Amino acid sequence: QVHLAESGGGLVPPGGSLRLACAASGTIFGIYDMAWYRQTPGSQRDMVARVDEVGRTDYADSVKGRFTISKDSAKNTVTLQMNSLTPEDTALYYCYAEVREYNGSRRDYWGQGTRVTVSS
């Protein structure tokens, strides 16, 4: 069983910055992808940024140039640095991890979500 603990959400004015963090704990042999998704009421959960097992990154077009995802493999953590925030970035942000189990299989895990509100 793996737990993803998210932190860093909060209220920030337009143009401001926040840094989200996610720490994976539990029975983990290794982690492949880690990612951040976000969701607003009545909408689907969309990928914001991801980083794979060799450090390659991918971003949604709406956040390119503003958000940066990074990982610390030794600590099983991933962060999302969010700059130049706009009200359209307001959402519940979820951490995702694809975990390698000790039997070699892969399993998806999700955090509970951390709220980001961009408002003056």
Side-chain angles (χ1 to χ4, degrees):
Q1 187 68 32
V2 174
H3 175 69
L4 302 182
E6 301 149 323
S7 63
L11 175 65
V12 64
S17 298
L18 284 173
R19 185 170 69 181
L20 307 183
C22 175
S25 62
T27 305
I28 301 171
F29 182 83
I31 296 179
Y32 295 102
D33 291 354
M34 296 192 80
W36 287 95
Y37 287 70
R38 67 186 182 189
Q39 186 172 23
T40 56
S43 68
Q44 64 183 347
R45 186 178 298 184
D46 295 323
M47 188 198 76
V48 177
R50 64 180 289 271
V51 56
D52 70 10
E53 65 272 21
V54 297
R56 294 174 295 193
T57 59
D58 190 26
Y59 297 92
D61 287 342
S62 60
V63 307
K64 286 181 179 178
R66 300 189 297 120
F67 291 10
T68 302
I69 189 169
S70 60
K71 68 173 182 178
D72 185 334
S73 297
K75 298 180 179 179
N76 288 331
T77 60
V78 63
T79 63
L80 184 68
Q81 179 66 46
M82 305 185 294
N83 299 325
S84 301
L85 287 163
T86 74
E88 289 70 37
D89 296 315
T90 296
L92 192 64
Y93 284 71
Y94 294 91
C95 180
Y96 162 87
E98 184 184 27
V99 175
R100 181 178 179 179
E101 308 286 352
Y102 279 93
N103 65 2
S105 63
R106 300 185 183 201
R107 184 175 176 180
D108 296 341
Y109 290 92
W110 292 91
Q112 290 294 110
T114 184
R115 182 73 178 179
V116 171
T117 303
V118 184
S119 176
S120 59

